[in-house]
Amino acid sequence: QVQLVESGGGLVQPGGSLRLSCTGSGIIFRVFTMDWYRQAPGKQRELVATITSGGQTNYADSVKGRFTISRDNAKNTGYLQMNSLNPEDTAMYYCHVYGDRHYWGQGTQVTVSS
C-alpha cells in the first residue's frame, strides 16, 4: 500500500524557520512529481511548491524567495525548507505525489505566532 508521511511541523515565532519532510513507501519515489499544498482555516487549499522527477521547481508568489522544495530519491523523501516565516504561513501542510495516480499525506500543522 502506498503511504506518504509528513513531519517537521510545529510552532515557530515570526521570522523563524522549519523544514518539512515527506517520506513515501510502496512507490518508486524518483519517478513522481511532488507538491506541497497548504490550507488555513476559512481559506481554500493553496499550491505552495512543486518539484518534478527531473528536479524542476516552481513556487507560489507568496513564498518565492523564502521557501525551497527539494528531494532525496535515495531516501524516498521530499522536503520543504521554510524561512522567514510569518503568521500568514500558518496552515496545515500536505504532501502530494503523482504520476499516473495521485497520493496524499495526512498533513502536518505549521503555526507561526508570537
Side-chain angles (χ1 to χ4, degrees):
Q1 183 77 274
V2 173
Q3 188 174 50
L4 299 177
V5 178
E6 298 106 328
S7 63
L11 176 65
V12 64
Q13 293 186 347
S17 298
L18 288 172
R19 189 181 74 161
L20 307 184
S21 298
C22 172
T23 298
S25 61
I27 57 171
I28 305 174
F29 194 82
R30 68 179 184 273
V31 307
F32 289 89
T33 296
M34 183 187 73
D35 300 322
W36 287 95
Y37 284 81
R38 67 186 182 186
Q39 188 165 26
K43 296 185 178 180
Q44 292 185 335
R45 186 180 62 184
E46 175 188 21
L47 177 61
V48 176
T50 298
I51 185 167
T52 69
S53 60
Q56 183 179 6
T57 60
N58 206 358
Y59 299 91
D61 288 341
S62 59
V63 308
K64 192 172 296 183
R66 300 188 297 120
F67 291 11
T68 303
I69 189 170
S70 62
R71 64 196 300 162
D72 185 341
N73 291 330
K75 297 180 178 179
N76 271 12
T77 299
Y79 305 95
L80 185 68
Q81 178 68 47
M82 306 186 296
N83 299 326
S84 301
L85 287 162
N86 61 67
E88 298 302 313
D89 298 314
T90 295
M92 185 74 75
Y93 284 72
Y94 298 92
C95 179
H96 169 236
V97 302
Y98 66 96
D100 57 336
R101 301 180 67 180
H102 296 251
Y103 305 97
W104 291 88
Q106 84 290 343
T108 186
Q109 178 68 39
V110 172
T111 302
V112 185
S113 176
S114 298

